[in-house]
Amino acid sequence: MDPLSDVLALLKPRNYLSAGLEAGGDWSIQFPDQQAAIKCGAVVSGQCWLSMEGVSDAVRLDTGDCFLLPRGRPFRLASDLNLPPVDARTIFSPARTGGVTAYNGGGDFLLVSSRFALSGDHAGILLRMLPPIVHIRRESDRSALRWPVERMMQELREPQPGGFLVVEHLAHMILIEALRLHMAEGLRVGWLFALADRQMGAAISAMHDDPAHGWTLQELGERVGMSRSTFALKFKKMVGTSAMDYLTRWRMLLAGDRLANSSDPVSVIALSLGYESESAFSTAFKRIMGCSPRQYGRGRSSASPPHGEAEAANANRLEPIAS
């Protein structure tokens, strides 16, 4: 797989509700804390304002625009931000499982949205790379999202057998396409944006393809047609950490996933990730993950469901998530 697919597979983003909002006239809706989930939405028709707690400037959303809200903060959608907001929990049925909710008679504005929980304790490897609001508005970008958004709207309006899985897959398509488009903007530091660079993307792909290999700066530089020193400087500038630190962290995230989801002994995991001794692996794991491999495995086996899954199980009872 490619590095973005690797990370998303590790975090297992799970869509647990996709729905539509149709509004008419003048309106303003305040949405509560999203329980650390990623919110993804697209405007099918009409316009509105999006404002978020802790973000100074509101964002104008027009027909065709898409947005990601990675931080789970409370936010507001409105035709006019000067209007007093209505609490979303008074509009949306706590028991709903999707579909389209009409407010103020509908007819002027239509939005589809999905909310994703991330499994595991390391959602930050993706979320900290993203600003509180990711706004996708260029016509060339919006065209890539048009088909899955329109198809999702059709599925929500006209439920068919198997519709739940169709909507779930469409939601994942929209999320991944939005991340791709945001990556392509560049101008930011982090592995997510480095993937858009041909040389850095190739180096990260090499490490992901064979994390057990004894990679060196010299070998990675040669792999992408750069000298050792030039590669090291560019990698750190673009990713925000050294290539060797990135490799170690990726190995430890893979190890954490194995410890949580398999019965493999620590010695086998260590060897599979390029460590000749369990002791060296355990030292690196504790430095990166904050505890020993055995403590991590025991803690995960006795802990509550992974981050986001408890919220997912109760999502329909706790709060509205169409936006």
Side-chain angles (χ1 to χ4, degrees):
M1 291 193 293
D2 62 276
L4 180 59
S5 296
D6 286 338
V7 171
L8 290 175
L10 193 67
L11 297 179
K12 303 175 181 66
R14 185 154 71 93
N15 167 236
Y16 51 92
L17 186 61
S18 294
L21 168 66
E22 186 176 13
D26 296 324
W27 56 277
S28 178
I29 304 173
Q30 178 67 39
F31 293 82
D33 185 283
Q34 299 295 292
Q35 300 178 343
I38 297 179
K39 169 75 85 176
C40 181
V43 178
V44 180
S45 62
Q47 302 83 32
C48 78
W49 289 96
L50 165 65
S51 65
M52 174 174 284
E53 184 178 287
V55 178
S56 57
D57 296 326
V59 172
R60 176 72 172 182
L61 299 174
D62 295 311
T63 300
D65 285 7
C66 181
F67 63 87
L68 290 178
L69 308 179
R71 307 292 175 81
R73 298 177 186 173
F75 66 98
R76 184 178 168 196
L77 294 174
S79 63
D80 182 350
L81 289 173
N82 292 317
L83 295 172
V86 173
D87 191 321
R89 285 167 289 202
T90 67
I91 299 171
F92 299 98
S93 167
R96 70 200 173 93
T97 57
V100 180
T101 296
Y103 178 63
N104 247 15
D108 297 325
F109 174 79
L110 182 58
L111 178 100
V112 294
S113 69
S114 303
R115 191 167 73 168
F116 296 86
L118 299 180
S119 298
D121 298 324
H122 306 290
I125 67 174
L126 174 63
L127 301 187
R128 68 170 171 259
M129 295 292 103
L130 302 170
I133 300 174
V134 176
H135 183 197
I136 297 165
R137 57 184 178 273
R138 291 184 306 181
E139 181 57 37
S140 59
D141 293 344
R142 296 189 306 195
S143 62
L145 291 159
R146 189 168 294 126
W147 181 84
V149 168
E150 290 177 351
R151 181 59 191 271
M152 180 181 283
M153 196 68 249
Q154 180 183 350
E155 291 289 335
L156 292 173
R157 284 196 179 280
E158 304 170 13
Q160 299 289 327
F164 176 84
L165 286 177
V166 171
V167 168
E168 185 173 50
H169 287 303
L170 289 169
H172 279 87
M173 286 178 64
I174 293 169
L175 173 64
I176 293 168
E177 193 62 53
L179 288 171
R180 284 176 172 177
L181 295 171
H182 187 57
M183 283 164 51
E185 292 180 1
L187 306 176
R188 294 179 177 87
V189 173
W191 66 269
L192 181 64
F193 302 102
L195 295 181
D197 178 88
R198 181 180 61 81
Q199 291 172 312
M200 296 304 98
I204 292 172
S205 292
M207 288 186 274
H208 279 238
D209 288 344
D210 192 359
H213 182 73
W215 294 106
T216 65
L217 290 175
Q218 181 70 34
E219 188 176 5
L220 287 167
E222 291 175 353
R223 186 78 171 244
V224 299
M226 302 174 72
S227 70
R228 177 187 183 280
S229 58
T230 302
F231 168 76
L233 287 172
K234 183 174 181 179
F235 192 98
K236 188 163 188 177
K237 180 180 179 181
M238 293 198 71
V239 180
T241 188
S242 72
M244 294 301 100
D245 281 347
Y246 179 89
L247 176 60
T248 300
R249 290 179 180 278
W250 178 242
R251 286 170 170 169
M252 296 308 109
L253 289 169
L254 293 174
D257 186 61
R258 292 268 295 277
L259 288 165
N261 298 299
S262 79
S263 57
D264 294 342
V266 174
S267 59
V268 170
I269 296 173
L271 187 62
S272 72
L273 292 173
Y275 289 85
E276 295 182 357
S277 75
E278 185 178 326
S279 174
F281 167 75
S282 296
T283 298
F285 189 92
K286 187 171 184 178
R287 176 170 61 85
I288 299 298
M289 308 295 271
C291 65
S292 72
R294 285 183 171 80
Q295 288 172 327
Y296 186 91
R298 286 197 301 269
R300 297 291 294 170
S301 63
S302 61
S304 57
H307 176 73
E309 290 191 7
E311 292 91 337
N314 295 306
N316 290 339
R317 292 193 291 104
L318 290 175
E319 61 182 84
I321 51 183
S323 51

